[in-house]
Amino acid sequence: VRGLSSRMGCGTIKVSEESKIIEVQLKQDRRNQTTKLLCLGAGDSGKSTFSRQLKVLYQTGFSKPELVKYAGVLKDNTITSMKIIIEEARNREISIPKKLKRHAEKISNATELLPEHAFDIKQLWASNFAQAVWLQRNEFIIPSTADYYFDHVERISKEDFRPTPEDVFRAKIKTTGIVETKFTSGNKNFLLIDVGGQRNERRKWIHSFEGVSAVIFLAALDEYDMVTAEDQKTNRLIEALHLFQEITASVHLKTSSWVLFLNKVDLFSAKFPKNGKYLTNIFPDYRGGNDIKAGLDFIQTQFEKVFKGEGTLHTHITCALDTSSVQKIFSVVEENILVRNLTATYFT
C-alpha cells in the first residue's frame, strides 16, 4: 500500500508540475492571442472616427504622411461643403445677398481650397442665407461636421496646415474595402476591422466574419430625420435598424459578442429639442415629444427589439469625437469581450 501511495505521490507531483507548465502556456497564449473586432454600421455612422480614436489612444497617433493626407482631405471637405451650401440655397430659392454674390461665385468656381478663400467662406458662413440653408441640412447630404470646417477655415486653408487629432476625427473619407487597425491595450492585442458602410460596400462584409470575437455596430442617433445618400428617400434610422437586424441574425457571427454604439449623441442632443416630434413620422407609437431622454430610450428600445444575436447586447450611448469617453467605453467593452472569451475557451 505504501508503494502505491508513493507512486500516487510521485504522480501528483508530476501532474502539479504539468499544471504549472500548462498555466504558464495559457497565460502566454492569452498574451499572444489577437482579439478580432468587427466594426460595422451604415455610412456616416462614425465607424472611421472610432477607429481613428483607437489609433490615438493605443498607438502613436498619426504619422506625418497620414497628417499630410488628412490635411488634403479636410481642405477638400471645407470647399466642397461650402459649395453644397451655395448650391442648396439656389435649389431652395434662398436669396444670396448681392454683396455676397462675388464670394459665392469665387467659391463655386474654386477647384481647391486656397488661403485667399478663408475670407470668402467666413463671409458666407456668417450670413443669414447660409444659416437658413444649414438649418435644413437634414434634407440634403452634407458632412455633419461642415460647421467645424467653416469655423476653422482660416487655419485649414493655410498652405502649411497640419491637422490636430480633433481635425482628423472630423475628416470625411468614404471607407472603401477593409481598413485594419492593430493595437495593444495593456497586454492584450486587438485587430479592428472597419468595413465600408455604404450599400455597395456591404457585400464585402462577409469576408471579414471569420474568427470575430466581437461585433461593434455603430448607428448615428442624429439621423432620425435624415435620408440615405444612396436613394435620397430611405430614412437613415430605419436603414440602420434593418441592417442591425440582418447582421445580428447572421449564422457566421453566432459566437460573437455584440456591442451597440448609439453614436453622435452630441448632435442628437442639440437638435432633438427642436424637432423630436419628427420621430412620430417613422414611429407612430412614439409619444415622447421633444424630450431628449424619451427619444434616446425609444431609439435604444427599437434596436433591442430587432436584435437577433445570441447572448447579451451591450449598448452604449456615445460621441466618437470625445476621446476620453471613447477610452472609458472601450475599457468596458474590452472587459466584456475578454470575460466572454475566457468563458468560451476554458469553461466549455
Side-chain angles (χ1 to χ4, degrees), residues 263-284:
N263 194 32
K264 302 191 180 183
V265 66
D266 55 329
L267 299 179
F268 175 86
S269 299
K271 76 177 187 178
F272 198 77
K274 301 170 188 173
N275 75 340
K277 292 178 181 177
Y278 187 94
L279 261 187
T280 57
N281 293 350
I282 51 176
F283 298 105

PDB file of all heavy atoms in Angstrom, residues 263-284:
ATOM      1  N   ASN A 263     -24.385  56.368 -31.548  1.00  0.00           N
ATOM      2  CA  ASN A 263     -23.367  57.408 -31.645  1.00  0.00           C
ATOM      3  C   ASN A 263     -23.951  58.787 -31.977  1.00  0.00           C
ATOM      4  O   ASN A 263     -25.120  58.913 -32.323  1.00  0.00           O
ATOM      5  CB  ASN A 263     -22.356  56.974 -32.717  1.00  0.00           C
ATOM      6  CG  ASN A 263     -21.084  57.772 -32.685  1.00  0.00           C
ATOM      7  OD1 ASN A 263     -20.633  58.216 -31.625  1.00  0.00           O
ATOM      8  ND2 ASN A 263     -20.501  57.994 -33.839  1.00  0.00           N
ATOM      9  N   LYS A 264     -23.089  59.787 -31.880  1.00  0.00           N
ATOM     10  CA  LYS A 264     -23.417  61.182 -32.196  1.00  0.00           C
ATOM     11  C   LYS A 264     -24.494  61.747 -31.264  1.00  0.00           C
ATOM     12  O   LYS A 264     -25.378  62.488 -31.683  1.00  0.00           O
ATOM     13  CB  LYS A 264     -23.821  61.332 -33.661  1.00  0.00           C
ATOM     14  CG  LYS A 264     -22.745  60.860 -34.642  1.00  0.00           C
ATOM     15  CD  LYS A 264     -23.042  61.248 -36.068  1.00  0.00           C
ATOM     16  CE  LYS A 264     -21.954  60.758 -37.005  1.00  0.00           C
ATOM     17  NZ  LYS A 264     -22.171  61.172 -38.405  1.00  0.00           N
ATOM     18  N   VAL A 265     -24.384  61.381 -29.995  1.00  0.00           N
ATOM     19  CA  VAL A 265     -25.352  61.878 -29.015  1.00  0.00           C
ATOM     20  C   VAL A 265     -25.252  63.400 -28.880  1.00  0.00           C
ATOM     21  O   VAL A 265     -26.234  64.071 -28.534  1.00  0.00           O
ATOM     22  CB  VAL A 265     -25.165  61.180 -27.648  1.00  0.00           C
ATOM     23  CG1 VAL A 265     -23.824  61.552 -27.009  1.00  0.00           C
ATOM     24  CG2 VAL A 265     -26.316  61.510 -26.713  1.00  0.00           C
ATOM     25  N   ASP A 266     -24.079  63.968 -29.177  1.00  0.00           N
ATOM     26  CA  ASP A 266     -23.914  65.422 -29.118  1.00  0.00           C
ATOM     27  C   ASP A 266     -24.797  66.122 -30.141  1.00  0.00           C
ATOM     28  O   ASP A 266     -25.487  67.096 -29.834  1.00  0.00           O
ATOM     29  CB  ASP A 266     -22.446  65.801 -29.317  1.00  0.00           C
ATOM     30  CG  ASP A 266     -21.852  65.223 -30.601  1.00  0.00           C
ATOM     31  OD1 ASP A 266     -22.280  64.126 -31.021  1.00  0.00           O
ATOM     32  OD2 ASP A 266     -20.954  65.865 -31.185  1.00  0.00           O
ATOM     33  N   LEU A 267     -24.800  65.593 -31.375  1.00  0.00           N
ATOM     34  CA  LEU A 267     -25.628  66.185 -32.436  1.00  0.00           C
ATOM     35  C   LEU A 267     -27.111  65.936 -32.160  1.00  0.00           C
ATOM     36  O   LEU A 267     -27.958  66.802 -32.403  1.00  0.00           O
ATOM     37  CB  LEU A 267     -25.235  65.610 -33.796  1.00  0.00           C
ATOM     38  CG  LEU A 267     -23.786  65.870 -34.240  1.00  0.00           C
ATOM     39  CD1 LEU A 267     -23.525  65.228 -35.596  1.00  0.00           C
ATOM     40  CD2 LEU A 267     -23.502  67.362 -34.298  1.00  0.00           C
ATOM     41  N   PHE A 268     -27.398  64.747 -31.669  1.00  0.00           N
ATOM     42  CA  PHE A 268     -28.786  64.392 -31.321  1.00  0.00           C
ATOM     43  C   PHE A 268     -29.334  65.346 -30.256  1.00  0.00           C
ATOM     44  O   PHE A 268     -30.433  65.888 -30.393  1.00  0.00           O
ATOM     45  CB  PHE A 268     -28.834  62.950 -30.826  1.00  0.00           C
ATOM     46  CG  PHE A 268     -30.185  62.501 -30.336  1.00  0.00           C
ATOM     47  CD1 PHE A 268     -31.127  61.990 -31.214  1.00  0.00           C
ATOM     48  CD2 PHE A 268     -30.511  62.580 -28.987  1.00  0.00           C
ATOM     49  CE1 PHE A 268     -32.374  61.578 -30.761  1.00  0.00           C
ATOM     50  CE2 PHE A 268     -31.750  62.175 -28.523  1.00  0.00           C
ATOM     51  CZ  PHE A 268     -32.687  61.668 -29.422  1.00  0.00           C
ATOM     52  N   SER A 269     -28.550  65.574 -29.213  1.00  0.00           N
ATOM     53  CA  SER A 269     -28.997  66.410 -28.099  1.00  0.00           C
ATOM     54  C   SER A 269     -29.184  67.870 -28.520  1.00  0.00           C
ATOM     55  O   SER A 269     -29.998  68.585 -27.939  1.00  0.00           O
ATOM     56  CB  SER A 269     -27.994  66.335 -26.943  1.00  0.00           C
ATOM     57  OG  SER A 269     -27.890  65.009 -26.469  1.00  0.00           O
ATOM     58  N   ALA A 270     -28.415  68.287 -29.531  1.00  0.00           N
ATOM     59  CA  ALA A 270     -28.513  69.673 -29.990  1.00  0.00           C
ATOM     60  C   ALA A 270     -29.778  69.927 -30.794  1.00  0.00           C
ATOM     61  O   ALA A 270     -30.377  71.001 -30.700  1.00  0.00           O
ATOM     62  CB  ALA A 270     -27.286  70.034 -30.829  1.00  0.00           C
ATOM     63  N   LYS A 271     -30.212  68.937 -31.562  1.00  0.00           N
ATOM     64  CA  LYS A 271     -31.357  69.210 -32.442  1.00  0.00           C
ATOM     65  C   LYS A 271     -32.675  68.570 -32.005  1.00  0.00           C
ATOM     66  O   LYS A 271     -33.744  69.031 -32.405  1.00  0.00           O
ATOM     67  CB  LYS A 271     -31.033  68.794 -33.884  1.00  0.00           C
ATOM     68  CG  LYS A 271     -31.053  67.316 -34.192  1.00  0.00           C
ATOM     69  CD  LYS A 271     -30.771  67.120 -35.690  1.00  0.00           C
ATOM     70  CE  LYS A 271     -30.919  65.700 -36.144  1.00  0.00           C
ATOM     71  NZ  LYS A 271     -30.693  65.541 -37.587  1.00  0.00           N
ATOM     72  N   PHE A 272     -32.619  67.553 -31.160  1.00  0.00           N
ATOM     73  CA  PHE A 272     -33.853  66.852 -30.791  1.00  0.00           C
ATOM     74  C   PHE A 272     -34.866  67.755 -30.072  1.00  0.00           C
ATOM     75  O   PHE A 272     -36.075  67.625 -30.305  1.00  0.00           O
ATOM     76  CB  PHE A 272     -33.548  65.612 -29.944  1.00  0.00           C
ATOM     77  CG  PHE A 272     -34.675  64.628 -29.897  1.00  0.00           C
ATOM     78  CD1 PHE A 272     -34.922  63.782 -30.971  1.00  0.00           C
ATOM     79  CD2 PHE A 272     -35.512  64.541 -28.789  1.00  0.00           C
ATOM     80  CE1 PHE A 272     -35.969  62.863 -30.944  1.00  0.00           C
ATOM     81  CE2 PHE A 272     -36.558  63.640 -28.754  1.00  0.00           C
ATOM     82  CZ  PHE A 272     -36.794  62.798 -29.833  1.00  0.00           C
ATOM     83  N   PRO A 273     -34.427  68.665 -29.195  1.00  0.00           N
ATOM     84  CA  PRO A 273     -35.408  69.532 -28.528  1.00  0.00           C
ATOM     85  C   PRO A 273     -36.213  70.409 -29.500  1.00  0.00           C
ATOM     86  O   PRO A 273     -37.276  70.922 -29.137  1.00  0.00           O
ATOM     87  CB  PRO A 273     -34.535  70.402 -27.607  1.00  0.00           C
ATOM     88  CG  PRO A 273     -33.324  69.580 -27.360  1.00  0.00           C
ATOM     89  CD  PRO A 273     -33.073  68.865 -28.657  1.00  0.00           C
ATOM     90  N   LYS A 274     -35.704  70.560 -30.725  1.00  0.00           N
ATOM     91  CA  LYS A 274     -36.389  71.410 -31.710  1.00  0.00           C
ATOM     92  C   LYS A 274     -37.348  70.612 -32.595  1.00  0.00           C
ATOM     93  O   LYS A 274     -38.356  71.142 -33.045  1.00  0.00           O
ATOM     94  CB  LYS A 274     -35.358  72.125 -32.580  1.00  0.00           C
ATOM     95  CG  LYS A 274     -34.406  73.010 -31.792  1.00  0.00           C
ATOM     96  CD  LYS A 274     -33.262  73.489 -32.668  1.00  0.00           C
ATOM     97  CE  LYS A 274     -32.215  74.213 -31.832  1.00  0.00           C
ATOM     98  NZ  LYS A 274     -31.018  74.553 -32.631  1.00  0.00           N
ATOM     99  N   ASN A 275     -36.997  69.348 -32.878  1.00  0.00           N
ATOM    100  CA  ASN A 275     -37.858  68.587 -33.802  1.00  0.00           C
ATOM    101  C   ASN A 275     -37.981  67.111 -33.441  1.00  0.00           C
ATOM    102  O   ASN A 275     -38.149  66.264 -34.303  1.00  0.00           O
ATOM    103  CB  ASN A 275     -37.350  68.732 -35.243  1.00  0.00           C
ATOM    104  CG  ASN A 275     -36.104  67.901 -35.509  1.00  0.00           C
ATOM    105  OD1 ASN A 275     -35.396  67.516 -34.585  1.00  0.00           O
ATOM    106  ND2 ASN A 275     -35.838  67.605 -36.772  1.00  0.00           N
ATOM    107  N   GLY A 276     -37.894  66.808 -32.144  1.00  0.00           N
ATOM    108  CA  GLY A 276     -38.011  65.413 -31.709  1.00  0.00           C
ATOM    109  C   GLY A 276     -39.305  64.751 -32.137  1.00  0.00           C
ATOM    110  O   GLY A 276     -39.359  63.533 -32.341  1.00  0.00           O
ATOM    111  N   LYS A 277     -40.341  65.565 -32.312  1.00  0.00           N
ATOM    112  CA  LYS A 277     -41.627  65.004 -32.714  1.00  0.00           C
ATOM    113  C   LYS A 277     -41.571  64.341 -34.088  1.00  0.00           C
ATOM    114  O   LYS A 277     -42.481  63.600 -34.462  1.00  0.00           O
ATOM    115  CB  LYS A 277     -42.694  66.100 -32.700  1.00  0.00           C
ATOM    116  CG  LYS A 277     -43.020  66.602 -31.297  1.00  0.00           C
ATOM    117  CD  LYS A 277     -44.054  67.722 -31.321  1.00  0.00           C
ATOM    118  CE  LYS A 277     -44.348  68.229 -29.915  1.00  0.00           C
ATOM    119  NZ  LYS A 277     -45.306  69.362 -29.927  1.00  0.00           N
ATOM    120  N   TYR A 278     -40.489  64.639 -34.836  1.00  0.00           N
ATOM    121  CA  TYR A 278     -40.320  64.013 -36.158  1.00  0.00           C
ATOM    122  C   TYR A 278     -40.311  62.491 -36.050  1.00  0.00           C
ATOM    123  O   TYR A 278     -40.681  61.793 -36.988  1.00  0.00           O
ATOM    124  CB  TYR A 278     -39.020  64.504 -36.803  1.00  0.00           C
ATOM    125  CG  TYR A 278     -38.837  64.048 -38.233  1.00  0.00           C
ATOM    126  CD1 TYR A 278     -39.235  64.853 -39.294  1.00  0.00           C
ATOM    127  CD2 TYR A 278     -38.275  62.802 -38.529  1.00  0.00           C
ATOM    128  CE1 TYR A 278     -39.082  64.440 -40.607  1.00  0.00           C
ATOM    129  CE2 TYR A 278     -38.121  62.381 -39.832  1.00  0.00           C
ATOM    130  CZ  TYR A 278     -38.523  63.199 -40.867  1.00  0.00           C
ATOM    131  OH  TYR A 278     -38.370  62.776 -42.170  1.00  0.00           O
ATOM    132  N   LEU A 279     -39.875  61.976 -34.885  1.00  0.00           N
ATOM    133  CA  LEU A 279     -39.829  60.518 -34.685  1.00  0.00           C
ATOM    134  C   LEU A 279     -41.185  59.866 -34.934  1.00  0.00           C
ATOM    135  O   LEU A 279     -41.261  58.712 -35.358  1.00  0.00           O
ATOM    136  CB  LEU A 279     -39.369  60.188 -33.259  1.00  0.00           C
ATOM    137  CG  LEU A 279     -37.903  59.809 -33.031  1.00  0.00           C
ATOM    138  CD1 LEU A 279     -37.710  59.358 -31.598  1.00  0.00           C
ATOM    139  CD2 LEU A 279     -37.419  58.742 -33.994  1.00  0.00           C
ATOM    140  N   THR A 280     -42.259  60.606 -34.660  1.00  0.00           N
ATOM    141  CA  THR A 280     -43.600  60.031 -34.866  1.00  0.00           C
ATOM    142  C   THR A 280     -43.895  59.819 -36.350  1.00  0.00           C
ATOM    143  O   THR A 280     -44.786  59.051 -36.697  1.00  0.00           O
ATOM    144  CB  THR A 280     -44.691  60.934 -34.264  1.00  0.00           C
ATOM    145  OG1 THR A 280     -44.595  62.238 -34.847  1.00  0.00           O
ATOM    146  CG2 THR A 280     -44.549  61.049 -32.762  1.00  0.00           C
ATOM    147  N   ASN A 281     -43.138  60.485 -37.235  1.00  0.00           N
ATOM    148  CA  ASN A 281     -43.312  60.275 -38.686  1.00  0.00           C
ATOM    149  C   ASN A 281     -42.894  58.872 -39.101  1.00  0.00           C
ATOM    150  O   ASN A 281     -43.448  58.301 -40.040  1.00  0.00           O
ATOM    151  CB  ASN A 281     -42.495  61.292 -39.491  1.00  0.00           C
ATOM    152  CG  ASN A 281     -43.012  62.700 -39.335  1.00  0.00           C
ATOM    153  OD1 ASN A 281     -44.093  62.913 -38.783  1.00  0.00           O
ATOM    154  ND2 ASN A 281     -42.256  63.673 -39.814  1.00  0.00           N
ATOM    155  N   ILE A 282     -41.907  58.322 -38.391  1.00  0.00           N
ATOM    156  CA  ILE A 282     -41.443  56.972 -38.731  1.00  0.00           C
ATOM    157  C   ILE A 282     -41.860  55.931 -37.688  1.00  0.00           C
ATOM    158  O   ILE A 282     -41.900  54.739 -37.984  1.00  0.00           O
ATOM    159  CB  ILE A 282     -39.908  56.938 -38.941  1.00  0.00           C
ATOM    160  CG1 ILE A 282     -39.172  57.595 -37.761  1.00  0.00           C
ATOM    161  CG2 ILE A 282     -39.530  57.607 -40.249  1.00  0.00           C
ATOM    162  CD1 ILE A 282     -37.664  57.500 -37.857  1.00  0.00           C
ATOM    163  N   PHE A 283     -42.175  56.404 -36.481  1.00  0.00           N
ATOM    164  CA  PHE A 283     -42.660  55.517 -35.421  1.00  0.00           C
ATOM    165  C   PHE A 283     -43.921  56.139 -34.820  1.00  0.00           C
ATOM    166  O   PHE A 283     -43.835  56.910 -33.854  1.00  0.00           O
ATOM    167  CB  PHE A 283     -41.607  55.328 -34.326  1.00  0.00           C
ATOM    168  CG  PHE A 283     -40.343  54.686 -34.785  1.00  0.00           C
ATOM    169  CD1 PHE A 283     -39.193  55.442 -34.962  1.00  0.00           C
ATOM    170  CD2 PHE A 283     -40.296  53.328 -35.069  1.00  0.00           C
ATOM    171  CE1 PHE A 283     -38.012  54.856 -35.390  1.00  0.00           C
ATOM    172  CE2 PHE A 283     -39.120  52.736 -35.499  1.00  0.00           C
ATOM    173  CZ  PHE A 283     -37.980  53.496 -35.664  1.00  0.00           C
ATOM    174  N   PRO A 284     -45.090  55.845 -35.354  1.00  0.00           N
ATOM    175  CA  PRO A 284     -46.337  56.458 -34.868  1.00  0.00           C
ATOM    176  C   PRO A 284     -46.600  56.231 -33.382  1.00  0.00           C
ATOM    177  O   PRO A 284     -47.344  56.998 -32.765  1.00  0.00           O
ATOM    178  CB  PRO A 284     -47.417  55.774 -35.720  1.00  0.00           C
ATOM    179  CG  PRO A 284     -46.700  55.354 -36.967  1.00  0.00           C
ATOM    180  CD  PRO A 284     -45.319  54.975 -36.519  1.00  0.00           C
TER     181      PRO A 284
END
